[in-house]
DNA sequence: GCCAACGTTGGC
DNA sequence: GCCAACGTTGGC
């Protein structure tokens, strides 16, 4: 069981859009590191859903419902997608500011590699962030 | 809108 | 294979 975080710009694809559709094909990733993270995702892994640019916070929890396969939006065999489904919206969002302010989260990949759209989350980090959503 | 960080491209 | 130029992401 692994934990991840994906970013989305809410005016392009928000948590509410995600819930409305009931699932999402996470396509369009064109970055090798993000791609490698998606390839490492296993069915049932938990994924934080983060709003970038607007909000700048974790809004909900998703789960990997289908493991990686060729990205149908391109012929290029280098790129893959995974499928995600929403689990729940958090009662309280966790802002980037709050995560940066927490010493226990100082090595969070989201903070260290701010431009990466799919990042791993350590189990300990996951538990800490989850505790901040209540 | 600005700009830092960082990934990609292409000339040599 | 190096590196300058350029493009993109994303926080502020």
């Amino acid at each position: 069981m692994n934990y991840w975080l994906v970013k989305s710009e809410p005016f392009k694809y928000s948590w509410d859009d995600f819930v409305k559709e009931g699932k999402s094909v996470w396509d369009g990733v064109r970055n090798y590191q993000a791609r490698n993270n998606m390839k490492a995702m296993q069915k049932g892994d938990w994924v934080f859903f983060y709003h970038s640019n607007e909000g700048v916070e974790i809004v909900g929890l998703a789960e990997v419902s289908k493991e990686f396969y060729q990205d149908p939006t391109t012929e290029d065999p280098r790129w893959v997608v995974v499928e995600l489904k929403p689990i729940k919206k958090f009662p309280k969002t966790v802002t980037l500011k709050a995560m940066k302010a927490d010493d226990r989260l100082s090595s969070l990949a989201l903070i260290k590699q701010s431009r990466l759209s799919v990042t791993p989350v350590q189990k300990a980090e996951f538990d800490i962030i989850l505790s901040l959503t209540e």
Side-chain angles (χ1 to χ4, degrees):
Chain A
M1 175 90 183
N2 289 304
Y3 305 91
W4 310 94
L5 181 147
V6 297
K7 290 184 190 177
S8 185
E9 299 175 57
F11 48 87
K12 281 187 190 158
Y13 190 80
S14 70
W15 172 264
D16 289 341
D17 297 330
F18 183 35
V19 170
K20 212 173 295 167
E21 289 175 15
K23 71 160 198 175
S24 178
V25 177
W26 212 256
D27 61 23
V29 172
R30 297 292 180 269
N31 170 285
Y32 287 107
Q33 252 184 296
R35 190 276 316 262
N36 291 343
N37 289 334
M38 293 206 303
K39 281 189 165 181
M41 285 182 183
Q42 294 179 305
K43 193 172 176 176
D45 282 357
W46 281 351
V47 185
F48 284 133
F49 192 104
Y50 174 89
H51 280 168
S52 64
N53 288 305
E54 217 175 81
V56 195
E57 60 194 359
I58 292 172
V59 291
L61 183 65
E63 105 172 67
V64 177
S65 53
K66 194 165 184 186
E67 290 173 19
F68 79 91
Y69 56 93
Q70 163 73 36
D71 188 336
T73 65
T74 176
E75 295 291 308
D76 192 329
R78 293 177 298 173
W79 308 118
V80 301
V81 298
V82 293
E83 290 184 14
L84 304 177
K85 68 174 184 191
I87 296 180
K88 65 164 184 174
K89 185 171 186 164
F90 293 131
K92 268 172 52 185
T93 60
V94 183
T95 61
L96 180 63
K97 194 180 168 192
M99 290 186 273
K100 279 184 171 172
D102 194 318
D103 290 341
R104 299 170 299 171
L105 298 174
S106 60
S107 58
L108 196 66
L110 172 71
I111 296 169
K112 297 187 91 175
Q113 291 167 279
S114 63
R115 291 181 58 226
L116 193 58
S117 59
V118 181
T119 58
V121 178
Q122 301 303 313
K123 169 87 169 94
E125 295 166 342
F126 183 88
D127 290 342
I128 292 162
I129 293 169
L130 204 59
S131 75
L132 299 175
T133 65
E134 293 165 355

